[in-house]
Amino acid sequence: MQVAVASKPVTRPTVYRILFAISFVHLLNDAMQSVIPAIFPILEKSMNLSFVELGWIYFTLNMTSSVMQPVVGWYTDKRSSPYMLPLGMTLSLVGMLGLAFANNLAYVILCVVFIGLGSAAFHPEGSRVSYMAAGNRRGLAQSIYQVGGNTGQSLAPIMTALIFVPLGQFGVIWFTAVAGLAVIVLLFVSSWYSQRLVYFPRKTKNVKERKIDPARKKQVTTAIVLLVLIVFGRSWFATGISNYYQFYLIEHYGLSIEGAQYYIFAFLLAGVAGTFFGGPLADRFGRRNLILFSMLGSAPLALLLPHVDLIWVYPIFLVMGFILLSSFSVSVVYAQELMPGNIGMVSGLIVGLGFGLGAIGSVFLGKMADDLGLYFTMVFCSLLPLLGFVTLFLPSDQKLKQWQAEGQN
């Protein structure tokens, strides 16, 4: 009986139409989230907001999304909810509609809560759909799914330049159509999802509980803490660039709001490429090595960034964005291998933590920019990739394989 059940997933084909559909919706979902930082320059002028107030808006979006993700994941682990996906996207639609008409900070924050809840409902279930449609190609499935989201995030500066500069805040109304399209696609995905549940029953409590060696448990805990520190440095640096460097370009180099967006887009687009190629590079050169290179390889460029002439910003962003974000998905896989019995929880922790730390960083950096100026803030951000030195204290890939082999005996 057990052999027959276990063999089914092995022979199941990869369902590409579902993978591309969920990746497309991931793009739409993250593009809608990206509307929030994209309209920062517009809100700053129209509502006379300070940098710290802009930080609170971003904090609300990311904290709502990151805190609720594990809650949604915990609920759907226990109870199958295929139609959670279109329901969550409907919340985002409501948030977008409200944001187009918001006329004060409190109203903006309320709308952002709806968008954050919609994203929180999408991400855990989107990952589950990717897993279910993967067949034997889970690495490829994760790449297809993740690149959709990162592409959506990279569109924020282009949306500012092409939509919000000419149309203002009311341009957000166009994204209700984006949310509506996402709902339609998700109804199709959810129908497929509900039919496949028979192959993916919810797991009951494990009867066999392995005794964990206290020394090993301490090593794993230390490694997770170090990994969190690396995620912290990467998240705060990326937040500083995507949210506040546009204001530095305007103030320090005299660019227009529209002109500044293309530089941010270059950084984010390079990050999309880095995320896609990071997995294969880690397979070839090792996960820990890739994480180390992504942080320390980008550190010299980050340190140069606040001091260079404008002509150097594009090439620095293209190289630095690729290197820094090449470890985005690799850090999740590394964490999964650290704690192989807690795949879902660890994935939610690292991804959700990235959002949560970015949210806290947005408020902190906004306060710093208000009190100490944008130049000081950018110099502070440029030091963050140096936290990559702690990667040297993480267990090697070989050590993780050894631990897994010992755990199976």
Side-chain angles (χ1 to χ4, degrees):
M1 275 292 272
Q2 285 181 332
V3 177
V5 172
S7 65
K8 274 190 176 180
V10 177
T11 57
R12 197 169 300 125
T14 303
V15 189
Y16 286 102
R17 72 180 189 282
I18 296 297
L19 284 176
F20 287 122
I22 201 67
S23 178
F24 176 62
V25 177
H26 198 183
L27 185 154
L28 298 180
N29 179 82
D30 284 25
M32 285 187 286
Q33 277 194 278
S34 296
V35 165
I36 310 308
I39 60 171
F40 275 2
I42 311 301
L43 295 179
E44 188 228 1
K45 288 190 179 300
S46 65
M47 296 186 188
N48 197 27
L49 300 181
S50 66
F51 288 127
V52 76
E53 286 172 326
L54 294 175
W56 277 115
I57 295 171
Y58 195 72
F59 175 87
T60 303
L61 173 69
N62 279 13
M63 283 305 287
T64 306
S65 175
S66 62
V67 169
M68 290 305 296
Q69 271 193 54
V71 175
V72 171
W74 171 83
Y75 175 80
T76 54
D77 275 342
K78 293 179 175 298
R79 181 173 297 185
S80 302
S81 307
Y83 289 92
M84 177 76 75
L85 286 162
L87 177 63
M89 198 57 65
T90 303
L91 292 177
S92 292
L93 193 155
V94 171
M96 284 293 159
L97 184 61
L99 191 58
F101 298 97
N103 55 9
N104 59 60
L105 179 61
Y107 194 178
V108 169
I109 286 178
L110 177 63
C111 296
V112 161
V113 167
F114 276 92
I115 296 166
L117 288 174
S119 182
F122 172 77
H123 279 101
E125 287 299 273
S127 294
R128 195 187 305 279
V129 168
S130 171
Y131 177 87
M132 292 168 74
N136 292 332
R137 312 195 69 180
R138 288 179 187 163
L140 175 65
Q142 185 61 28
S143 293
I144 292 171
Y145 173 69
Q146 194 60 57
V147 163
N150 283 11
T151 304
Q153 291 171 21
S154 73
L155 295 177
I158 294 301
M159 292 190 292
T160 303
L162 301 182
I163 298 175
F164 300 123
V165 168
L167 298 180
Q169 183 184 336
F170 187 69
V172 175
I173 199 73
W174 286 101
F175 289 87
T176 57
V178 171
L181 174 60
V183 169
I184 293 168
V185 176
L186 286 176
L187 286 170
F188 160 72
V189 170
S190 295
S191 172
W192 176 87
Y193 178 175
S194 61
Q195 293 166 15
R196 305 296 288 180
L197 284 173
V198 64
Y199 300 111
F200 298 91
R202 295 299 183 259
K203 289 183 181 176
T204 53
K205 222 177 183 180
N206 244 342
V207 201
K208 282 183 170 181
E209 292 287 348
R210 266 197 205 97
K211 295 257 184 185
I212 302 172
D213 175 24
R216 175 68 47 76
K217 188 177 180 182
K218 186 178 177 183
Q219 289 174 310
V220 170
T221 303
T222 302
I224 287 289
V225 170
L226 293 177
L227 193 60
V228 166
L229 192 59
I230 293 163
V231 172
F232 157 79
R234 191 181 62 213
S235 296
W236 275 41
F237 181 76
T239 296
I241 296 298
S242 56
N243 285 7
Y244 298 110
Y245 192 76
Q246 57 186 315
F247 296 107
Y248 182 73
L249 286 166
I250 293 164
E251 179 186 283
H252 190 71
Y253 297 106
L255 295 182
S256 65
I257 292 175
E258 184 179 4
Q261 305 312 309
Y262 295 107
Y263 288 86
I264 309 302
F265 178 67
F267 173 76
L268 296 174
L269 192 63
V272 171
T275 299
F276 183 77
F277 288 105
L281 287 171
D283 287 340
R284 184 177 177 81
F285 299 107
R287 307 199 202 290
R288 191 186 74 160
N289 291 341
L290 197 282
I291 294 170
L292 178 67
F293 173 70
S294 79
M295 296 295 285
L296 296 189
S298 59
L301 296 171
L303 290 168
L304 282 172
L305 185 63
H307 314 290
V308 297
D309 293 334
L310 184 62
I311 194 172
W312 291 105
V313 174
Y314 264 134
I316 285 176
F317 267 179
L318 289 171
V319 178
M320 184 177 67
F322 182 93
I323 295 174
L324 182 76
L325 294 177
S326 63
S327 65
F328 185 84
S329 57
V330 176
S331 53
V332 177
V333 177
Y334 183 88
Q336 290 173 345
E337 292 180 352
L338 264 175
M339 301 178 68
N342 301 276
I343 300 296
M345 184 198 75
V346 171
S347 303
L349 173 69
I350 298 299
V351 176
L353 201 61
F355 281 116
L357 289 172
I360 296 166
S362 184
V363 176
F364 180 86
L365 295 174
K367 179 67 174 167
M368 184 182 288
D370 279 336
D371 294 347
L372 302 172
L374 285 165
Y375 176 75
F376 182 88
T377 305
M378 290 303 109
V379 170
F380 171 80
C381 287
S382 72
L383 300 172
L384 292 170
L386 292 173
L387 285 171
F389 275 113
V390 305
T391 310
L392 295 168
F393 301 99
L394 287 174
S396 66
D397 291 38
Q398 291 76 15
K399 179 65 73 176
L400 292 186
K401 285 176 184 172
Q402 181 189 327
W403 287 356
Q404 287 176 15
E406 289 171 2
Q408 288 168 0
N409 295 330

